């Protein structure tokens, strides 16, 4: 709730980020439940949801640069 309120007060953009890089534990119904719970609490977001599993190539590129 603090992040939501801080973003709203400052006029920023809140991105809903789903940490779903563990395929055995990350099921789509969990993401649906998270979004429903946030909506029930009155927490909205401006962008997303962004699923981290769809960005794996970006992470691999960053790792290569660091190496």
């Amino acid at each position: 709730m603090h992040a939501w309120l801080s973003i709203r007060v400052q006029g920023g953009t809140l991105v809903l980020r789903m940490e779903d890089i563990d395929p055995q534990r990350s099921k789509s119904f969990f993401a649906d439940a998270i979004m429903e719970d946030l909506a029930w609490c009155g927490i909205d977001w401006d962008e997303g949801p962004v699923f981290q599993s769809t960005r794996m190539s970006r992470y691999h590129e960053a790792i290569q640069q660091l190496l």
Side-chain angles (χ1 to χ4, degrees):
M1 186 61 123
H2 176 73
W4 177 86
L5 184 57
S6 178
I7 289 294
R8 294 297 175 238
V9 168
Q10 296 178 38
T13 300
L14 185 66
V15 178
L16 179 59
R17 176 176 154 158
M18 295 289 182
E19 301 291 341
D20 66 333
I21 58 173
D22 182 351
Q24 291 181 335
R25 293 179 28 195
S26 301
K27 308 296 181 199
S28 62
F29 60 87
F30 291 136
D32 294 339
I34 289 168
M35 290 185 285
E36 287 178 24
D37 290 348
L38 289 171
W40 183 86
C41 291
I43 297 174
D44 59 347
W45 51 92
D46 304 306
E47 294 179 18
V50 175
F51 291 90
Q52 297 308 98
S53 62
T54 65
R55 301 164 53 105
M56 295 302 285
S57 63
R58 296 176 91 183
Y59 301 139
H60 291 296
E61 289 173 15
I63 289 169
Q64 290 306 311
Q65 285 182 337
L66 292 170
L67 294 174

